[in-house]
Amino acid sequence: MDSDTQDTPQSIPFRLSGNSVGYKSFARPFVGTLFQDLMERSGTELGTRGMHRFTDAHLLYVLCLCGSGRISRQELSDATGIGEGAVRNMLSCLRRMGLIETTRRGNGLTPEGMRIRDMTGIVMPEYEVSGIVEGECNYVLLAHGKGYLLDNSIAYRDAAIRVGAKDCMMIRMDDGKVTSPYRDSVELRYPDLSELAETIGMRDGDAAAICGADNVQTASSSAFGGMIKLISKTR
Protein backbone atom coordinates (compact mmCIF):
# COMPACT_ATOMS: atom_id res chain seq x y z
CA MET A 1 0.00 0.00 0.00
CA ASP A 2 1.05 3.58 -0.59
CA SER A 3 1.68 4.89 2.91
CA ASP A 4 2.05 8.45 1.63
CA THR A 5 -1.61 8.54 0.66
CA GLN A 6 -3.13 6.33 3.32
CA ASP A 7 -4.05 9.17 5.67
CA THR A 8 -5.16 11.64 3.02
CA PRO A 9 -8.88 11.10 2.39
CA GLN A 10 -10.70 12.55 -0.58
CA SER A 11 -14.40 13.37 -0.87
CA ILE A 12 -15.81 11.13 -3.57
CA PRO A 13 -19.52 10.72 -4.37
CA PHE A 14 -21.15 7.40 -3.61
CA ARG A 15 -24.69 6.14 -4.00
CA LEU A 16 -26.69 5.83 -0.80
CA SER A 17 -29.97 4.58 -2.22
CA GLY A 18 -32.11 5.31 -5.22
CA ASN A 19 -30.90 8.52 -6.83
CA SER A 20 -29.53 10.09 -3.66
CA VAL A 21 -25.83 10.84 -3.56
CA GLY A 22 -23.67 11.44 -0.50
CA TYR A 23 -19.97 11.89 0.09
CA LYS A 24 -17.81 9.39 1.88
CA SER A 25 -14.07 8.81 2.04
CA PHE A 26 -12.04 6.15 3.79
CA ALA A 27 -8.62 7.36 4.92
CA ARG A 28 -7.75 3.89 6.21
CA PRO A 29 -9.48 1.42 3.92
CA PHE A 30 -8.37 -1.75 5.70
CA VAL A 31 -10.55 -2.56 8.70
CA GLY A 32 -9.16 -6.09 9.11
CA THR A 33 -6.25 -8.08 7.71
CA LEU A 34 -8.06 -10.74 5.65
CA PHE A 35 -7.57 -9.09 2.25
CA GLN A 36 -4.17 -7.64 3.06
CA ASP A 37 -2.95 -11.20 3.60
CA LEU A 38 -4.65 -12.43 0.43
CA MET A 39 -3.19 -9.58 -1.61
CA GLU A 40 0.28 -10.35 -0.34
CA ARG A 41 -0.08 -14.05 -1.11
CA SER A 42 -1.44 -13.43 -4.61
CA GLY A 43 0.94 -10.59 -5.45
CA THR A 44 -1.99 -8.21 -5.91
CA GLU A 45 -1.17 -4.56 -5.44
CA LEU A 46 -3.86 -2.04 -4.63
CA GLY A 47 -2.86 1.49 -3.78
CA THR A 48 -5.00 3.48 -1.39
CA ARG A 49 -6.23 5.59 -4.30
CA GLY A 50 -8.01 2.48 -5.54
CA MET A 51 -9.91 2.15 -2.27
CA HIS A 52 -11.10 5.69 -1.55
CA ARG A 53 -14.67 4.68 -2.24
CA PHE A 54 -14.75 1.41 -0.31
CA THR A 55 -13.10 -0.61 2.43
CA ASP A 56 -12.13 -4.25 2.81
CA ALA A 57 -15.49 -4.69 4.55
CA HIS A 58 -17.15 -3.87 1.22
CA LEU A 59 -14.83 -6.34 -0.52
CA LEU A 60 -15.99 -9.07 1.85
CA TYR A 61 -19.62 -8.05 1.33
CA VAL A 62 -19.23 -8.27 -2.46
CA LEU A 63 -17.45 -11.62 -2.13
CA CYS A 64 -20.35 -13.04 -0.11
CA LEU A 65 -22.94 -11.60 -2.50
CA CYS A 66 -21.15 -13.24 -5.42
CA GLY A 67 -21.43 -16.51 -3.53
CA SER A 68 -25.22 -16.36 -3.59
CA GLY A 69 -25.35 -16.88 -7.36
CA ARG A 70 -24.40 -14.96 -10.47
CA ILE A 71 -24.92 -11.28 -9.72
CA SER A 72 -24.56 -8.16 -11.85
CA ARG A 73 -22.51 -5.06 -11.11
CA GLN A 74 -25.71 -3.02 -10.80
CA GLU A 75 -27.14 -5.47 -8.27
CA LEU A 76 -23.93 -5.27 -6.24
CA SER A 77 -24.11 -1.47 -6.34
CA ASP A 78 -27.73 -1.50 -5.18
CA ALA A 79 -26.97 -3.89 -2.31
CA THR A 80 -23.86 -2.15 -0.98
CA GLY A 81 -24.76 1.48 -1.69
CA ILE A 82 -21.43 1.91 -3.48
CA GLY A 83 -21.39 3.42 -6.99
CA GLU A 84 -20.85 1.21 -10.02
CA GLY A 85 -17.39 2.64 -10.67
CA ALA A 86 -16.18 1.58 -7.23
CA VAL A 87 -17.91 -1.79 -7.62
CA ARG A 88 -15.97 -2.25 -10.86
CA ASN A 89 -12.74 -1.62 -8.93
CA MET A 90 -13.75 -4.10 -6.23
CA LEU A 91 -14.54 -6.79 -8.79
CA SER A 92 -11.22 -6.18 -10.52
CA CYS A 93 -9.39 -6.56 -7.21
CA LEU A 94 -11.23 -9.78 -6.35
CA ARG A 95 -10.52 -11.19 -9.81
CA ARG A 96 -6.81 -10.43 -9.47
CA MET A 97 -6.81 -12.36 -6.20
CA GLY A 98 -8.47 -15.27 -7.99
CA LEU A 99 -11.63 -15.12 -5.87
CA ILE A 100 -14.30 -14.34 -8.48
CA GLU A 101 -14.92 -14.84 -12.16
CA THR A 102 -17.04 -12.68 -14.45
CA THR A 103 -19.09 -13.95 -17.37
CA ARG A 104 -22.01 -12.59 -19.36
CA ARG A 105 -24.30 -14.08 -16.73
CA GLY A 106 -22.70 -12.03 -13.97
CA ASN A 107 -20.12 -12.42 -11.23
CA GLY A 108 -19.60 -15.60 -9.22
CA LEU A 109 -17.05 -17.22 -6.96
CA THR A 110 -14.12 -19.34 -8.06
CA PRO A 111 -13.25 -22.45 -6.02
CA GLU A 112 -10.75 -20.33 -4.06
CA GLY A 113 -13.40 -17.68 -3.51
CA MET A 114 -15.76 -20.35 -2.19
CA ARG A 115 -13.04 -21.58 0.16
CA ILE A 116 -12.47 -18.10 1.57
CA ARG A 117 -16.22 -17.46 1.87
CA ASP A 118 -16.71 -20.76 3.69
CA MET A 119 -13.74 -20.04 5.95
CA THR A 120 -15.44 -16.88 7.18
CA GLY A 121 -18.54 -18.81 8.23
CA ILE A 122 -20.64 -15.83 7.17
CA VAL A 123 -24.35 -16.20 6.49
CA MET A 124 -26.60 -13.31 5.43
CA PRO A 125 -30.00 -14.05 7.01
CA GLU A 126 -32.99 -12.77 5.06
CA TYR A 127 -34.58 -11.36 8.17
CA GLU A 128 -35.48 -7.75 8.91
CA VAL A 129 -34.64 -6.45 12.37
CA SER A 130 -35.35 -3.07 13.94
CA GLY A 131 -34.99 -1.23 17.22
CA ILE A 132 -32.13 -3.31 18.59
CA VAL A 133 -29.36 -0.75 18.09
CA GLU A 134 -29.36 2.93 17.16
CA GLY A 135 -30.22 3.66 13.54
CA GLU A 136 -33.33 3.77 11.40
CA CYS A 137 -32.32 0.50 9.72
CA ASN A 138 -30.86 -2.48 11.58
CA TYR A 139 -29.09 -5.40 9.91
CA VAL A 140 -27.89 -8.70 11.36
CA LEU A 141 -24.98 -10.73 9.98
CA LEU A 142 -24.19 -14.24 11.22
CA ALA A 143 -20.87 -16.10 11.32
CA HIS A 144 -20.98 -19.80 12.16
CA GLY A 145 -18.27 -21.05 14.48
CA LYS A 146 -16.68 -17.66 15.18
CA GLY A 147 -18.07 -17.01 18.65
CA TYR A 148 -14.83 -18.13 20.29
CA LEU A 149 -13.10 -15.12 18.74
CA LEU A 150 -15.47 -12.58 20.28
CA ASP A 151 -14.20 -10.93 23.44
CA ASN A 152 -15.22 -7.74 25.23
CA SER A 153 -13.16 -5.46 22.98
CA ILE A 154 -14.80 -2.35 21.55
CA ALA A 155 -12.72 -2.77 18.38
CA TYR A 156 -15.48 -4.59 16.46
CA ARG A 157 -18.01 -1.85 17.10
CA ASP A 158 -15.44 0.77 16.15
CA ALA A 159 -14.71 -1.08 12.90
CA ALA A 160 -18.41 -1.04 12.01
CA ILE A 161 -18.65 2.66 12.82
CA ARG A 162 -15.69 3.35 10.51
CA VAL A 163 -17.74 1.85 7.68
CA GLY A 164 -20.74 4.03 8.53
CA ALA A 165 -22.73 2.46 11.36
CA LYS A 166 -24.34 4.55 14.06
CA ASP A 167 -24.02 1.63 16.43
CA CYS A 168 -23.06 -2.04 16.37
CA MET A 169 -23.61 -4.84 18.87
CA MET A 170 -21.56 -8.01 18.55
CA ILE A 171 -23.10 -11.10 20.11
CA ARG A 172 -22.29 -14.77 20.55
CA MET A 173 -24.12 -17.90 21.67
CA ASP A 174 -22.83 -20.26 24.34
CA ASP A 175 -24.88 -23.08 25.89
CA GLY A 176 -28.01 -21.70 24.26
CA LYS A 177 -27.55 -18.23 25.75
CA VAL A 178 -26.96 -15.09 23.68
CA THR A 179 -24.59 -12.54 25.18
CA SER A 180 -22.79 -9.38 24.15
CA PRO A 181 -19.35 -9.50 25.82
CA TYR A 182 -18.57 -5.81 25.38
CA ARG A 183 -21.94 -4.58 26.61
CA ASP A 184 -21.81 -6.97 29.54
CA SER A 185 -18.36 -5.69 30.49
CA VAL A 186 -19.52 -2.07 30.64
CA GLU A 187 -22.95 -2.96 32.06
CA LEU A 188 -24.95 -1.71 29.09
CA ARG A 189 -28.42 -3.20 28.95
CA TYR A 190 -29.70 -4.87 25.79
CA PRO A 191 -32.86 -6.80 24.92
CA ASP A 192 -33.34 -10.55 25.10
CA LEU A 193 -32.09 -11.78 21.72
CA SER A 194 -33.04 -15.45 22.02
CA GLU A 195 -35.93 -15.12 19.55
CA LEU A 196 -33.71 -13.35 17.02
CA ALA A 197 -31.04 -16.02 17.43
CA GLU A 198 -33.55 -18.79 16.79
CA THR A 199 -34.95 -17.02 13.73
CA ILE A 200 -31.57 -16.53 12.04
CA GLY A 201 -30.38 -20.04 12.88
CA MET A 202 -27.74 -19.05 15.41
CA ARG A 203 -26.10 -21.99 17.16
CA ASP A 204 -23.71 -22.51 20.04
CA GLY A 205 -20.29 -21.20 19.02
CA ASP A 206 -21.67 -18.68 16.51
CA ALA A 207 -21.15 -14.91 16.44
CA ALA A 208 -23.32 -12.18 14.94
CA ALA A 209 -23.11 -8.46 14.25
CA ILE A 210 -26.17 -6.24 14.59
CA CYS A 211 -25.58 -2.81 13.05
CA GLY A 212 -27.73 0.27 12.71
CA ALA A 213 -27.54 3.11 10.18
CA ASP A 214 -29.72 5.51 8.22
CA ASN A 215 -30.19 3.04 5.35
CA VAL A 216 -29.94 -0.70 4.88
CA GLN A 217 -26.94 -0.46 2.54
CA THR A 218 -24.82 1.25 5.18
CA ALA A 219 -26.13 -0.96 7.98
CA SER A 220 -25.30 -4.14 6.06
CA SER A 221 -21.89 -2.89 4.88
CA SER A 222 -20.94 -1.86 8.41
CA ALA A 223 -21.95 -5.27 9.75
CA PHE A 224 -19.27 -6.68 7.46
CA GLY A 225 -16.90 -4.13 9.01
CA GLY A 226 -17.45 -5.53 12.48
CA MET A 227 -17.26 -9.08 11.19
CA ILE A 228 -14.07 -8.69 9.15
CA LYS A 229 -12.41 -7.25 12.24
CA LEU A 230 -13.47 -10.35 14.15
CA ILE A 231 -12.53 -13.02 11.62
CA SER A 232 -9.19 -11.35 10.88
CA LYS A 233 -8.09 -12.69 14.27
CA THR A 234 -7.90 -16.15 12.69
CA ARG A 235 -5.41 -15.08 10.02
Side-chain angles (χ1 to χ4, degrees):
M1 291 184 60
D2 185 351
S3 59
D4 291 336
T5 62
Q6 187 170 357
D7 294 326
T8 308
Q10 297 179 6
S11 293
I12 296 180
F14 75 112
R15 182 175 301 163
L16 290 172
S17 61
N19 295 321
S20 62
V21 174
Y23 287 87
K24 185 75 173 180
S25 61
F26 298 99
R28 296 176 178 84
F30 288 102
V31 176
T33 61
L34 173 64
F35 287 104
Q36 287 175 299
D37 293 345
L38 291 171
M39 287 177 187
E40 182 177 348
R41 283 166 43 194
S42 64
T44 301
E45 294 184 2
L46 184 66
T48 307
R49 287 189 179 88
M51 290 183 69
H52 278 317
R53 304 184 190 185
F54 59 90
T55 69
D56 54 346
H58 296 102
L59 280 175
L60 181 58
Y61 193 2
V62 167
L63 181 77
C64 290
L65 287 169
C66 288
S68 61
R70 292 287 173 175
I71 187 168
S72 71
R73 193 167 64 217
Q74 180 63 61
E75 289 171 323
L76 290 169
S77 177
D78 291 342
T80 61
I82 299 293
E84 279 197 70
V87 170
R88 186 184 298 110
N89 289 340
M90 284 191 274
L91 293 173
S92 176
C93 178
L94 292 169
R95 277 194 298 269
R96 296 203 303 272
M97 286 187 282
L99 303 181
I100 68 164
E101 58 183 5
T102 302
T103 68
R104 290 183 178 180
R105 294 187 295 115
N107 302 281
L109 297 183
T110 63
E112 177 64 6
M114 293 179 189
R115 187 187 72 80
I116 296 298
R117 187 271 316 271
D118 293 344
M119 179 274 296
T120 69
I122 287 177
V123 176
M124 298 179 287
E126 295 183 1
Y127 179 70
E128 294 185 3
V129 296
S130 62
I132 298 177
V133 295
E134 181 183 357
E136 182 176 344
C137 297
N138 283 193
Y139 181 88
V140 59
L141 184 66
L142 179 65
H144 289 309
K146 302 302 179 184
Y148 75 98
L149 295 170
L150 184 59
D151 54 23
N152 63 1
S153 172
I154 199 174
Y156 319 112
R157 191 201 71 171
D158 288 350
I161 289 174
R162 281 177 54 190
V163 183
K166 288 190 171 183
D167 193 13
C168 177
M169 177 164 56
M170 301 291 294
I171 60 175
R172 71 185 185 198
M173 177 180 278
D174 298 295
D175 297 324
K177 183 179 180 181
V178 180
T179 61
S180 176
Y182 168 71
R183 297 201 176 204
D184 288 340
S185 70
V186 295
E187 299 183 347
L188 284 176
R189 298 181 64 182
Y190 53 94
D192 182 356
L193 299 171
S194 55
E195 183 177 346
L196 170 66
E198 181 178 359
T199 301
I200 65 174
M202 194 173 190
R203 308 186 296 252
D204 279 351
D206 290 351
I210 307 170
C211 289
D214 290 334
N215 55 74
V216 68
Q217 293 98 330
T218 304
S220 55
S221 296
S222 59
F224 276 88
M227 200 59 77
I228 198 171
K229 187 69 174 180
L230 180 69
I231 64 177
S232 290
K233 295 171 67 175
T234 65
R235 305 299 297 170

